[in-house]
Amino acid sequence: MTDTIAPTVSPVRPDTILLGLNTFGDVDEGPDGNPLPHAQVLRQLLEQAELADAVGLHAFGVGEHHRKDFAVSAPEVFLAAAAARTKQILLGSAVTVLSSDDPIRVFQRFSTVDAISNGRAEVMLGRGSFVESFPLFGLDLADYEVLFEEKLELFDKVRAQKPVHWEGRTRPALNGLSVYPPLEHHLLPAWIGVGGTPESVLRCAEYGYPVIFAIIGGEPRAFAPLVNLYREAMEKYGHPMQQIATHSPGHIADTDEAAREELFPHWLAQRNKIGSERGWGPGNRREFDGMCGPEGALYVGSPETVAHKIALLKRNLGVDRFDLKYSNGTLPHASMMRCIELFGTVVAPRVAELLAGGRPAN
């Protein structure tokens, strides 16, 4: 590594917000009502990434899961294919479950994607709110915390692109080994995904990484104390400020009514499936409509409605980037493609207008 290597991801102007997309490769249904093959979902996903690039969106991220209802278990393989079919969009994970992976291999796979994409790779690291990868790879959930802590420490050393000196309890020590291939002109942009705990925010700031908050319930404005904590901790640790982002589910259609009606049955089915696994009560339309409101965590509606909601997010939290999780359960491919098109061609320029015009309306 040389002194000329660029910083990770610098904050944007106060009147700007970057817009990206996230997906888990949610398995949708065919005309017969049966789930589509995972292979077909992945091919559809490539079409979605191509469209996101064509309409000028900032980033496209795929999340790692190891369960029947999500098709992406190897984000970097998909991203390498997407790199060959896109030109300018950033390509990343959302998230990579570092706790159940090898930090060295994670770096190598993403540095390979970076080379293929000509410098467009980024990685988002997380512990994983779904834990299927732990038994799959022979790991003990009792080690949930120490696995992430040690593997993040090792990843950070590998990311520096210097000979690695490290030891811990979760794998054999490394004494001066180098990891290849390195990136050409910069360090690998590496984010940490945070659910909502101060401890996770402080860990992210300790490493000086940009942070992305997963806001999937409640009110986004409630995350203001955590956003402020990150800024304060970055200053305390003496790190240059990095980007702050949020990730939330949503859906865009031509009208508010169309967006809600298209999304609701798919949202409800997924909400209740995951809720039954985690001990939640059943969801309902009242909950859904409340989350779709101006202060809720779902970005659902017409382009105008969603644009105002993103502008409000910028005003309330001052974040640099917003990623829309546009796939929601069995929502059809055609609906997702239309959502992506509207997000890039209508929502993005409208958000820019709202922010350029000063304080956005509620």
Side-chain angles (χ1 to χ4, degrees):
M1 186 177 75
T2 71
D3 291 338
T4 60
I5 289 181
T8 311
V9 276
S10 298
V12 301
R13 300 192 316 266
D15 61 349
T16 302
I17 189 168
L18 303 171
L19 300 181
L21 292 168
N22 290 164
T23 176
F24 302 156
D26 302 47
V27 175
D28 54 326
E29 297 175 345
D32 60 0
N34 291 319
L36 293 178
H38 287 75
Q40 185 174 342
V41 174
L42 289 167
R43 290 190 291 268
Q44 290 178 169
L45 201 55
L46 280 174
E47 296 177 18
Q48 293 160 18
E50 283 186 288
L51 179 57
D53 184 53
V55 299
L57 290 167
H58 177 70
F60 190 88
V62 291
E64 175 194 350
H65 292 83
H66 302 271
R67 46 187 289 143
K68 188 176 182 180
D69 42 351
F70 301 128
V72 179
S73 62
E76 308 92 340
V77 177
F78 170 83
L79 296 172
R85 294 172 59 164
T86 56
K87 296 180 180 178
Q88 59 187 9
I89 197 166
L90 291 181
L91 299 167
S93 57
V95 299
T96 292
V97 185
L98 186 64
S99 307
S100 57
D101 210 330
D102 184 320
I104 295 172
R105 294 297 285 152
V106 169
F107 175 83
Q108 290 176 320
R109 295 193 298 259
F110 274 93
S111 66
T112 300
V113 173
D114 194 78
I116 294 169
S117 66
N118 196 25
R120 292 186 285 126
E122 62 178 8
V123 61
M124 291 184 178
L125 306 170
R127 293 180 294 179
S129 63
F130 293 86
V131 295
E132 289 83 2
S133 62
F134 285 79
L136 188 64
F137 299 124
L139 299 169
D140 190 341
L141 271 174
D143 296 328
Y144 185 83
E145 294 291 342
V146 68
L147 282 167
F148 186 72
E149 290 170 2
E150 288 202 352
K151 291 187 176 189
L152 179 58
E153 181 184 48
L154 176 55
F155 176 87
D156 186 62
K157 291 182 178 295
V158 173
R159 178 179 171 270
Q161 301 186 172
K162 297 178 179 180
V164 179
H165 297 269
W166 180 90
E167 63 177 291
R169 352 177 328 210
T170 54
R171 58 156 292 155
L174 293 171
N175 186 21
L177 296 180
S178 296
V179 178
Y180 303 100
L183 278 74
E184 287 181 291
H185 307 299
H186 58 280
L187 297 182
L188 176 65
W191 299 67
I192 294 180
V194 172
T197 65
E199 294 79 11
S200 295
V201 173
L202 292 173
R203 180 190 293 117
C204 182
E206 180 181 358
Y207 282 92
Y209 284 15
V211 64
I212 181 165
F213 293 94
I215 303 179
I216 59 175
E219 297 184 353
R221 69 164 67 236
F223 278 71
L226 293 175
V227 170
N228 292 335
L229 176 63
Y230 173 77
R231 292 193 175 105
E232 293 165 1
M234 288 288 281
E235 183 177 358
K236 174 185 174 183
Y237 285 115
H239 296 306
M241 185 56 62
Q242 302 293 326
Q243 285 185 15
I244 302 171
T246 64
H247 145 113
S248 292
H251 179 59
I252 306 161
D254 293 317
T255 67
D256 289 347
E257 182 181 11
R260 293 193 185 197
E261 294 306 315
E262 286 177 15
L263 179 60
F264 176 67
H266 308 284
W267 173 88
L268 183 64
Q270 185 178 61
R271 157 74 173 76
N272 287 343
K273 177 179 176 57
I274 295 173
S276 66
E277 298 170 2
R278 300 186 177 186
W280 305 342
N284 54 58
R285 184 60 188 250
R286 183 176 180 180
E287 176 190 359
F288 174 77
D289 286 337
M291 292 176 68
C292 292
E295 296 286 354
L298 291 180
Y299 288 71
V300 178
S302 68
E304 185 70 11
T305 294
V306 173
H308 274 270
K309 196 163 182 173
I310 294 171
L312 182 63
L313 173 75
K314 177 72 176 185
R315 188 191 77 189
N316 287 340
L317 299 184
V319 296
D320 303 283
R321 173 169 156 182
F322 168 73
D323 283 1
L324 179 73
K325 201 272 185 178
Y326 69 93
S327 61
N328 294 274
T330 52
L331 187 70
H333 173 57
S335 296
M336 289 188 282
M337 291 289 278
R338 179 61 174 158
C339 173
I340 294 169
E341 178 186 5
L342 291 171
F343 194 44
T345 62
V346 186
V347 173
R350 183 62 178 133
V351 170
E353 289 175 356
L354 289 167
L355 295 180
R359 185 180 175 91
N362 288 333

